[in-house]
Amino acid sequence: MIVTDHAIRFVDVMAVRHDGTAPAGPTTVVRLLCLLPGHWHCAPEVAADRIRLRITLDEDVDRTAVYGTVVAVLADAALDGWSVPG
């Protein structure tokens, strides 16, 4: 799920745990943040089965890049059991 606020210039990306045997949100968010580009400004909100990433957009970071990168990162084996709802 993607929500964009054009006035404030951020995008929210939601990831959900679809496999109960996958690590919970607090462990997963650490792994996820480590795999995202280091220059992104990101504020996570974490629950056991859901992670919301609020990522600031700028001239180098746009909505399409954010979505594509987060989906690609969630394909990493360390994040099995988590995905962006489609």
Side-chain angles (χ1 to χ4, degrees), residues 29-44:
V29 75
V30 172
R31 294 174 178 175
L32 179 58
L33 292 173
C34 287
L35 293 171
L36 292 176
H39 66 280
W40 284 10
H41 181 263
C42 181

Side-chain angles (χ1 to χ4, degrees), residues 15-66:
V16 296
R17 182 167 62 163
H18 54 81
D19 178 349
T21 64
T27 300
T28 300
V29 75
V30 172
R31 294 174 178 175
L32 179 58
L33 292 173
C34 287
L35 293 171
L36 292 176
H39 66 280
W40 284 10
H41 181 263
C42 181
E45 179 182 292
V46 183
D49 296 322
R50 181 186 57 80
I51 298 169
R52 183 190 73 169
L53 301 175
R54 177 162 283 179
I55 300 169
T56 303
L57 302 175
D58 61 31
E59 59 276 351
D60 298 321
V61 180
D62 66 21
R63 181 181 188 276
T64 303
V66 167

